RNA sequence: GACCCGUUCGUCUAGCGGUCUAGGACUCCGCCCUUUCACGGCGGCAACACGGGUUCGAGUCCCGUACGGGUCGCCA
């Protein structure tokens, strides 16, 4: 039997990291087993389900590289893939239940009679979970009264207005679409017995369930829309690589069993992915480690890929990406940019006309003894350099230092701050080379004038 | 409140009865490399929630307690 998994998001105008990870696990599982990954849009809430909010999901998945074999814009033999278009199917499944006398009306809504026996969920991750719906559903907790009250254990499957409830459509769709494996968040584990009761009532095979642990905030609370790291689009905006996000998401709740931390691509993840490596316990989201993973991915990028990925960020900062110095400048940036959004800051001192001096950096340099002489000597030697490239530039700085009996080290920091505006930055000599002699000398002199005059 | 799931360094995790004086990674700190900034290398801090069993032997199995999360909707 061919493996079929799915991701069934509700278009809310937001692609949550938790949802993306669920999609990733399903995608990985399908690819690992040569199966199909299906995308189904649970757009029963018409108000929230706009074309825009659907595009957010589709584009987010595309950015991650999680392509679907069937679904919106792709089609397939099990459509339609929008729940809003599947009413006829739901009606026919409702009739099955009705003809078996498993449904009755209650204040205009329809309820499904749950069986009075233990239902065992054989979960791949959580093990066997046994629940009696009749018993468990006969009482419910009233949040306002803060106590238990009597309840009807039979579950509502259709509202008085004719619209169907999640549990019902979810099961019907999974049956109709031939899902063999359902990997979803652990928050659905307690709902699964209900789903199984429905599968059995329909006489359908129950898929293999695997409930994956949740990703929580660092303080242990549930990740909401506003939680740091929750929105996939923040990763795009901040210059994360999709491969890095996949890498980090995969490792939050799953481990290959070894020490491997870096997976350069989805293919590498597919290679190692296995449900037996999925953890049972919830995990806390750590943006710092995610950033580290991203930095590793940036370092591993080949030059053209790095240039392409950085392009939008450079343009946004006003750097002309067609400038011949850009490729070399990018190599200076890659080992110090953990996110692509940090790349422009490294290159700006090279490409920007006006320099902004970092106050702290300036203070650090200006307070040194004999700094005026250091800077003016430096400017003189840089100016009389007649071979503006790496080694020769370095020699000029060295000679400048020697001329007043100082060490080269004493000249590097002043030179860095005067020419680039900050104590922090990329390798200095290549920077000077790209800045150009004329501009570099002018900057050093301007620095002297502005802060040492 | 009932039910369900879980509990190894601050965080992500390895560990599937003896090889654990518990390994790796992130973070933090120190040292080295670098006459600059980083990268890198080396080292350090730091954990089996607690209590009972089972066993010759338990981080690993069982029970209980505590704590955390989830579900109890005519939301998905």
């Amino acid at each position: 039997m061919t493996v079929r998994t799915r991701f069934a998001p509700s278009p809310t105008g937001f692609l949550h990291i938790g949802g993306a990870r669920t999609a990733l696990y399903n995608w990985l599982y399908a690819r690992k087993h040569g199966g199909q990954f299906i995308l189904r849009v649970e757009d029963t809430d018409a108000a929230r389900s706009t074309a825009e909010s659907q595009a957010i999901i589709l584009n987010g998945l595309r950015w991650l590289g999680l392509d679907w074999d069937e679904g919106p814009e792709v089609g397939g033999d099990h459509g339609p893939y929008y729940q809003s278009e599947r009413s006829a199917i739901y009606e026919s499944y409702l009739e099955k239940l009705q003809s078996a006398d498993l449904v009755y009306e209650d204040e205009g809504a329809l309820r499904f009679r749950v069986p009075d026996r233990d239902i065992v969920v054989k979960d791949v991750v959580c093990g066997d979970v046994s629940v009696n719906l009749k018993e468990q559903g006969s009482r419910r907790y009233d949040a306002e009264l803060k106590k238990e009250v009597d309840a009807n254990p039979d579950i509502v499957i259709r509202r008085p207005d004719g619209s169907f409830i999640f549990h019902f459509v979810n099961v019907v769709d999974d049956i109709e679409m031939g899902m063999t494996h359902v990997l979803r968040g652990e928050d659905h584990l307690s709902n699964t017995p209900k789903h199984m009761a429905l599968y059995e009532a329909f006489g359908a095979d129950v898929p293999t369930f695997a409930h994956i642990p949740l990703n929580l905030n660092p303080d242990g609370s549930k990740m909401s829309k506003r939680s740091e790291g929750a929105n996939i689009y923040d990763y795009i905006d901040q210059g994360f690589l999709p491969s890095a996000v996949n890498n980090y998401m995969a490792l939050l709740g799953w481990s290959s069993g070894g020490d491997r931390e870096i997976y350069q691509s989805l293919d590498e993840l597919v290679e190692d992915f296995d449900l037996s490596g999925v953890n049972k316990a919830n995990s806390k989201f750590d943006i710092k480690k995610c950033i580290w993973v991203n930095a590793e991915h940036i370092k591993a990028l080949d030059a053209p890929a790095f240039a392409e990925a950085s392009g939008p960020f450079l343009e946004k900062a006003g750097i002309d990406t067609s400038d011949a110095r850009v490729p070399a400048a990018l190599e200076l940036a890659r080992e110090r940019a953990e996110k692509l959004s940090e790349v422009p800051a490294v290159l700006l001192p090279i490409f920007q006309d006006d320099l902004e001096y970092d106050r702290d950096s300036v203070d650090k340099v200006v307070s040194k003894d004999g700094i005026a002489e250091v800077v003016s000597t430096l400017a003189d030697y840089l100016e009389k350099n007649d071979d503006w490239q790496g080694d020769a530039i370095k020699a000029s700085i060295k000679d400048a230092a020697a001329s007043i009996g100082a060490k080269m080290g004493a000249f590097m920091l002043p030179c860095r701050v005067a020419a680039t505006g900050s104590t922090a930055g990329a390798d200095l000599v290549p920077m000077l080379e790209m800045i150009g002699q004329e501009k570099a000398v002018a900057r050093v002199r301007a620095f002297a004038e502005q802060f040492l005059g």
Side-chain angles (χ1 to χ4, degrees):
Chain A
M1 183 168 59
T2 311
V3 166
R4 287 172 65 82
T5 66
R6 47 69 168 179
F7 178 51
S10 179
T12 57
F14 194 86
L15 181 54
H16 194 276
I17 183 100
R21 191 191 59 147
T22 300
L24 173 64
Y25 281 27
N26 277 283
W27 186 93
L28 288 172
Y29 193 80
R31 294 290 172 263
K32 174 83 180 181
H33 297 278
Q36 287 121 27
F37 173 65
I38 289 87
L39 178 61
R40 176 175 78 228
V41 180
E42 307 212 331
D43 60 343
T44 50
D45 186 338
R48 289 192 296 185
S49 181
T50 62
E52 189 186 7
S53 59
Q54 295 202 18
I56 286 171
I57 289 173
L58 268 46
N59 291 333
L61 291 176
R62 285 196 186 99
W63 181 74
L64 289 167
L66 306 180
D67 55 329
W68 50 99
D69 303 299
E70 296 173 27
E73 299 179 14
V74 170
D77 297 334
H78 303 259
Y81 294 92
Y82 293 94
Q83 282 187 339
S84 58
E85 298 170 11
R86 300 174 61 79
S87 308
I89 296 167
Y90 303 141
E91 291 296 344
S92 73
Y93 269 76
L94 175 61
E95 281 170 25
K96 289 187 189 181
L97 255 32
Q98 285 172 322
S99 59
D101 192 31
L102 289 170
V103 174
Y104 63 91
E105 193 183 322
D106 178 20
E107 295 182 7
L110 296 183
R111 282 186 187 268
F112 164 68
R113 296 183 209 280
V114 298
D116 184 10
R117 60 181 166 77
D118 286 346
I119 293 178
V120 181
V121 180
K122 294 180 185 300
D123 192 276
V124 176
V125 174
C126 304
D128 290 359
V129 178
S130 177
V131 170
N132 181 313
L133 292 171
K134 202 87 172 178
E135 282 175 16
Q136 199 202 65
S138 64
R139 297 180 70 73
R140 55 166 253 267
Y141 185 67
D142 188 306
E144 287 177 9
L145 299 176
K146 290 189 174 177
K147 64 170 188 174
E148 286 196 348
V149 296
D150 287 332
N152 184 342
D154 295 332
I155 61 177
V156 172
I157 57 173
R158 197 177 75 168
R159 302 182 186 87
D161 70 1
S163 61
F164 290 94
I165 300 298
F166 163 75
H167 301 297
F168 179 84
V169 295
N170 190 266
V171 168
V172 170
D173 287 343
D174 283 344
I175 292 170
E176 276 290 294
M177 295 185 180
M179 307 317 314
T180 60
H181 298 257
V182 173
L183 318 195
R184 49 168 36 162
E186 198 224 63
D187 48 345
H188 283 298
L189 182 58
S190 294
N191 289 147
T192 306
K194 290 177 195 168
H195 299 177
M196 286 182 66
L198 250 9
Y199 276 99
E200 287 165 16
F202 289 130
D205 290 337
V206 175
T208 300
F209 287 105
H211 288 89
I212 62 181
L214 270 23
N215 294 158
L216 308 173
N217 286 315
D219 68 359
S221 63
K222 200 171 179 179
M223 284 186 95
S224 72
K225 271 190 174 187
R226 290 161 299 283
S227 300
E228 181 177 32
N231 187 352
I232 287 296
Y233 283 80
D234 284 347
Y235 293 86
I236 302 175
D237 294 344
Q238 289 178 34
F240 281 83
L241 263 11
S243 61
V245 177
N246 283 326
N247 188 161
Y248 182 69
M249 289 196 298
L251 257 31
L252 250 194
W254 168 79
S255 163
S256 66
D259 291 336
R260 187 162 177 189
E261 306 279 352
I262 298 300
Y263 287 87
Q264 235 37 269
S265 67
L266 284 170
D267 285 346
E268 292 180 9
L269 243 14
V270 168
E271 186 80 16
D272 274 15
F273 191 75
D274 190 83
L275 253 26
S276 66
V278 175
N279 246 74
K280 297 185 200 328
N282 291 168
S283 55
K284 290 173 184 165
F285 188 83
D286 180 8
I287 191 68
K288 280 199 174 145
K289 184 147 187 182
C290 185
I291 289 171
W292 173 78
V293 170
N294 196 55
E296 291 298 306
H297 280 244
I298 286 177
K299 281 174 204 153
L301 243 32
D302 63 32
F306 183 41
E308 190 185 339
S310 305
F313 294 89
L314 296 183
E315 281 161 20
K316 202 168 156 193
I319 294 172
D320 177 9
T321 52
S322 66
D323 190 299
R325 296 172 297 175
V326 164
L330 280 174
E331 289 313 311
L332 252 33
R334 84 187 304 152
E335 68 192 17
R336 54 171 310 105
E338 296 185 298
K339 296 184 276 187
L340 297 173
S341 57
E342 296 168 354
V343 171
V346 181
L347 307 207
L348 242 23
I350 298 170
F351 295 90
Q352 201 170 238
D353 284 334
D354 298 321
L355 206 56
E356 282 178 35
Y357 288 98
D358 172 66
R359 197 63 239 179
D360 290 344
S361 298
V362 171
D363 289 346
K364 199 168 177 181
V365 164
V366 167
S367 62
K368 288 188 172 161
D369 289 341
I371 185 63
E373 186 185 16
V374 167
V375 173
S376 66
T377 308
L378 177 66
D380 292 342
Y381 274 79
L382 288 179
E383 188 160 37
K384 68 184 182 188
N385 176 300
D386 57 6
D387 179 22
W388 195 256
Q389 50 77 24
D391 291 344
I393 295 170
K394 199 167 192 171
S396 291
I397 299 172
K398 194 174 185 178
D399 292 345
S403 76
I404 62 167
K407 287 184 175 176
M408 186 181 177
F411 270 58
M412 290 300 274
L413 202 63
C415 183
R416 176 178 283 283
V417 174
T420 72
S422 171
T423 54
D427 200 7
L428 182 57
V429 172
M431 289 263 285
L432 291 172
E433 186 175 340
M434 282 184 267
I435 287 168
Q437 184 171 23
E438 192 181 336
K439 198 190 251 185
V441 171
R443 282 181 177 178
V444 174
R445 293 214 187 281
F447 177 85
E449 208 165 301
Q450 191 174 341
F451 300 106
L452 302 169

